[in-house]
């Protein structure tokens, strides 16, 4: 006969399945990065790679939050933000600082103010709005006039999603669970979010 399926076997199968899925998603992330790089280097355009990268990031963010909510855990949104930005800010800050230093050395003084405005927009995750307010044409032919921090718009968009999505997801969970409890005649409690 057959060997009985034990809890250990099921745990191994689930872990193997998660690992395979994780590798597949990491493969998508790598493909997205390759699309971005190849489009920028050889075609001079923005690709769907940025969209794919942002989608994969949103997938991970949503999955983590939903798993915590599903397990009945409290989601402390400010603590969640600190954890995410603790990982993102140091690297982004080094890139922005190095770019500003290089810009101050290599760019004419007339461009320094714009560079500093872009640096502030980049480290505050608002670079996409800074560029939009200046009506920057991302596809402009004059690449010499482009900000060296112009590409930080996508990181800004990702940072904004990391700020807003947990709030929206927790709010939806609270509303949904409150409505679900009311439909069952159970008392509503706010144990999901702090």
């Amino acid at each position: 006969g057959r060997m009985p399926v034990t809890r250990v076997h099921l745990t191994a199968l689930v872990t193997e399945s998660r690992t395979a899925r994780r590798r597949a998603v990491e493969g998508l992330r790598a493909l997205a990065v390759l699309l971005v790089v190849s489009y920028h280097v050889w075609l001079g355009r923005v690709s769907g790679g940025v969209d794919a990268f942002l989608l994969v990031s949103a997938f991970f963010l949503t999955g983590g939050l939903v798993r915590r909510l599903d397990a009945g855990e409290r989601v402390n949104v400010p603590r969640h933000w600190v954890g995410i930005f603790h990982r993102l800010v140091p690297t982004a800050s080094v890139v922005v600082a190095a770019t500003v230093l290089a810009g101050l050395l290599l760019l004419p003084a007339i461009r320094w103010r714009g560079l500093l405005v872009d640096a502030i927009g980049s480290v505050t995750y608002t670079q996409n709005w800074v560029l939009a307010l200046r009506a920057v044409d991302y596809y402009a032919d004059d690449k010499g006039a482009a900000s060296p921090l112009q590409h930080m718009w996508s990181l800004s968009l990702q940072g904004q999603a990391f700020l807003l999505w947990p709030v929206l997801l927790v709010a939806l969970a609270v509303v949904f669970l409150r409505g679900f409890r009311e439909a069952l005649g159970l008392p509503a409690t706010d144990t999901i979010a702090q």
Side-chain angles (χ1 to χ4, degrees), residues 32-123:
V33 170
L34 286 173
L35 282 171
V36 170
V37 170
S38 60
Y39 268 73
H40 275 78
V41 171
W42 289 292
L43 302 176
R45 303 298 250 175
V46 177
S47 71
V50 173
D51 297 337
F53 189 81
L54 292 172
L55 183 66
V56 169
S57 295
F59 173 81
F60 283 131
L61 175 64
T62 303
L65 290 170
V66 167
R67 276 190 301 280
R68 287 167 59 193
L69 290 170
D70 193 41
E73 293 179 30
R74 287 177 177 241
V75 175
N76 184 324
V77 174
R79 184 176 292 149
H80 180 76
W81 289 334
V82 168
I84 286 175
F85 288 102
H86 179 73
R87 290 188 305 272
L88 293 178
V89 169
T91 305
S93 297
V94 168
V95 169
V96 170
T99 303
V100 167
L101 287 175
L104 293 175
L105 292 172
L106 301 172
L107 294 175
I110 196 164
R111 302 244 343 248
W112 292 355
R113 184 179 184 282
L115 177 64
L116 294 176
V117 168
D118 288 342
I120 292 167
S122 295
V123 298

Side-chain angles (χ1 to χ4, degrees), residues 65 69 75 77 165-175 192-194:
L65 290 170
L69 290 170
V75 175
V77 174
W165 191 242
V167 173
L168 180 63
L169 202 58
V170 168
L172 287 171
V174 167
V175 168
I192 293 177
Q194 281 184 340

Side-chain angles (χ1 to χ4, degrees), residues 125-161:
Y125 292 87
T126 59
Q127 180 65 2
N128 57 326
W129 293 105
V130 169
L131 295 171
L133 289 172
R134 284 202 320 243
V136 170
D137 180 1
Y138 197 82
Y139 296 114
D141 288 332
D142 185 8
K143 301 297 183 203
S147 168
L149 293 167
Q150 182 168 311
H151 298 296
M152 295 295 280
W153 71 267
S154 60
L155 186 61
S156 294
L157 189 62
Q158 185 177 25
Q160 292 161 25

